[in-house]
Amino acid sequence: MYAGWNLVLVGSALCGQSLGFFWPFTAFAATNAINTTPEANYTGRRVAIIGAGAGGSSTAYYLQQFASRSGVEVDITVFERASYVGGRSTTVNAYGDPLEPVELGASIFVDVNTILKNSSEKFGLKAKSSETELDEVLGIWNGETFVYMQKDSGWYWWDITKLLWKYGLAPIRTQRLMKSTVAKFLKLYEAPFFPFRSLSGRALDLDLIPVTSLTGEQYLTNNSIGAPFSTDIIQASTRVNYGQNLAVIHGLETMVCMAIDGAMQIAGGNWQIFDSMLKASNATTLLNSTVSTISRTGGKYNIKTSSKDAAGKLSTTEQPFDTIVLAAPFQYSGIDIEEGLVKHLPDNIPYVKLHVTLFASPKRLDPTFFGLKPDAETPTSILTTLAPDEPPSAGVGKAGFFSISTLRPILNPKTLRKEYLYKVFSPKALTSEFLSGILGAPVPVDLTTITADSEDAISWYYPHVWNSYPVEHPRVTFEDSELARGFYYTSGMESFISTMETNALMGMNVAQLIVDDYLQVMEEERAKEKTEQQKFIEEEDAITPDEL
C-alpha cells in the first residue's frame, strides 16, 4: 500500500483508498440476533437503525454513550439485511481459509481518522500499516507507458528529491493545499460546528462550498497545480480511490485522496471496528433482516421487516419505534416509505459500479504486457491514468483498469506451492484474455472452473461488484441529517466525502442530534407537566369555603 512508504502524495485520505487499494461474507459467525429484545413494559425511547455499516454502527455506539451521559434511556435495534456487520467494509477468505482474510471493501484509514483510530485502540484491535507484504515498486501506467515509477527505498528525502526533480513545486503546493482544505473539514468534529442538522449549511460555514463546487481539475488549476503532476499522480489517486478522473470528481474529494499520513488497517478486517461498536452499544442487532416498509401511526414509526430462518422459512414482523435512522443509501434500500411521511426523499444519485477481483497465481505480473522489456522489473502495485491523447471524459481509458496490486505471498493449500495474491479494480468484469495478458500465461476461458489443484495460471478467483461510492460531481447542496421529526439519515455524507470515517462521523452526529431532540422533548414534557400542576393548584386555591 503506497501510503505506507514515501510516495508522500499518492493514496487515499480520510478512509484510505475508500474501496480502492484499499466504502467476509463469511468472515465471522453471523447470528440472527445479538442481545435481547426489550421487555414489554420498557419505558425508554426505542430507536431503530437500518444498516450495520460504518454509519449505523457508529450511530448505535455513540447514541448509547451520549444518552447515558445525558440520563436518557434508549433501547436500540439495528436491522441489517446482510448476514454480516460492516457494510462495504468486509473481507473474504482466500481459498476459503479463515486464516487468509482479504479486504474486499474499504480497507485503509489514516491518522486524522480519529473515530476509527480511537475506536480500534479502545477495542484492542491490532492495526498494521499496509495491505501489502512485499517490497513495493509503484508504477503509474497510462495504457501505453509508465509515467512514474518508484521503489520503496526507505530513503525518504531521496524519494522526495526525485519527485521534486520531476514535478517541480507541484507536490509541495498540493501538500499545502490538502492540509489547509482538510483542516477546514476537521472542524466538523468540534463545537460550534458539531453537531449539525444541515451538511450544506456547515459546508458553507467552513468555506468548503468553493471546494465542492469545482472539479478537482478546476480546484487544482485555481491553486497553480497542473499537469503533469495533476494528471500523473493526483489523477491516479482519484481513480484508485473513487474510479473517477479529475474532470469529474469534486475538489474536496480530490484533496481527501491526497491525505495519506499514517495509513493503517485492522489485522483480520476493518469490519471488526463496527462489530465492536455494535457490541459496545448493547444494541439488539438483527442480521438477515430486511426492512420493507416504514409508516407512522399514533405518534410512532412502524417498521415492517422480513427475515429467513436457518431452514429458509420467511417470516415478517412489525414493530413500533420512537426514532428511525436510515444508515444506508436510500436508493438501494428498497424501503417503501409512507407517502407524506418525510419532507423530502433523498435524491437518486449515480454510483460507481466497481468490479473488485481477487485471485491467486504462481505467476508474477508480465512486464511485456505493460510495454517493458521481458527481463524488466514489473511494479508490484500499478495505478493508472489517462494517456495524453485521451479526453478527460474517457473514463477508465486505454489502461482498462484502475489498479492492480500484488498483496502478499500465499500458500496454495492443495499444491503447497508459493503463490501471489492479487487485487484488481476495474469498471468491468475481467476477462480471461486480460488475465492471461497480465500474467503471461493461459487462463481458462471459463473462470468458474478454476480450482486450487488445477495447475492453471490462476488457482483461486473471487470477483465482486460494488455500488461503491457516488460519482462525486461538483455540488453545493447535500442531503440533510433529518428527513422528518425523529427520522434521520446518514448517507447524505456520501456525496460530500465518501469514506468509512466520514460515515462514522455522520453516525456520531446523528446520535448527538437524537439525544438533543430527546432532551428538548423531555424539557417540553416537564414544562407542560409543571404548567398543568400550577393550573391545578390555582384551581384548588380558587375554591371558596362555600363551594366546599
Side-chain angles (χ1 to χ4, degrees), residues 330-363:
F330 172 70
Q331 67 195 72
Y332 296 120
S333 69
I335 298 174
D336 181 19
I337 297 178
E338 182 181 62
E339 187 174 355
L341 185 64
V342 299
K343 296 174 290 187
H344 161 71
L345 287 174
D347 293 332
N348 283 359
I349 58 176
Y351 269 66
V352 173
K353 182 165 286 189
L354 182 71
H355 290 254
V356 179
T357 307
L358 306 172
F359 66 91
S361 172
K363 303 289 186 179

Side-chain angles (χ1 to χ4, degrees), residues 364-438:
R364 302 304 296 265
L365 296 176
D366 183 5
T368 62
F369 180 87
F370 303 98
L372 300 175
K373 294 180 179 180
D375 59 348
E377 182 178 26
T378 308
T380 55
S381 296
I382 299 174
L383 309 188
T384 64
T385 188
L386 297 176
D389 60 345
E390 291 183 296
S393 59
V396 70
K398 297 176 183 178
F401 63 92
F402 297 123
S403 67
I404 301 175
S405 56
T406 312
L407 299 181
R408 62 179 185 259
I410 190 170
L411 187 68
N412 184 318
K414 295 294 185 180
T415 64
L416 300 182
R417 68 185 175 185
K418 175 185 174 182
E419 302 198 7
Y420 300 95
L421 189 59
Y422 294 94
K423 180 188 287 184
V424 181
F425 298 139
S426 59
K428 295 181 180 179
L430 301 186
T431 63
S432 60
E433 180 182 8
F434 173 83
L435 291 167
S436 297
I438 63 173

Side-chain angles (χ1 to χ4, degrees), residues 248-292:
V248 174
I249 193 169
H250 64 61
L252 181 57
E253 202 75 284
T254 300
M255 291 295 97
V256 162
C257 290
M258 305 310 292
I260 62 172
D261 287 346
M264 67 194 85
Q265 65 176 192
I266 300 302
N270 292 325
W271 60 267
Q272 295 170 95
I273 299 175
F274 310 118
D275 185 53
S276 297
M277 282 182 167
L278 285 178
K279 289 175 179 175
S281 73
N282 294 319
T284 298
T285 303
L286 302 175
L287 303 179
N288 301 304
S289 295
T290 301
V291 175
S292 56

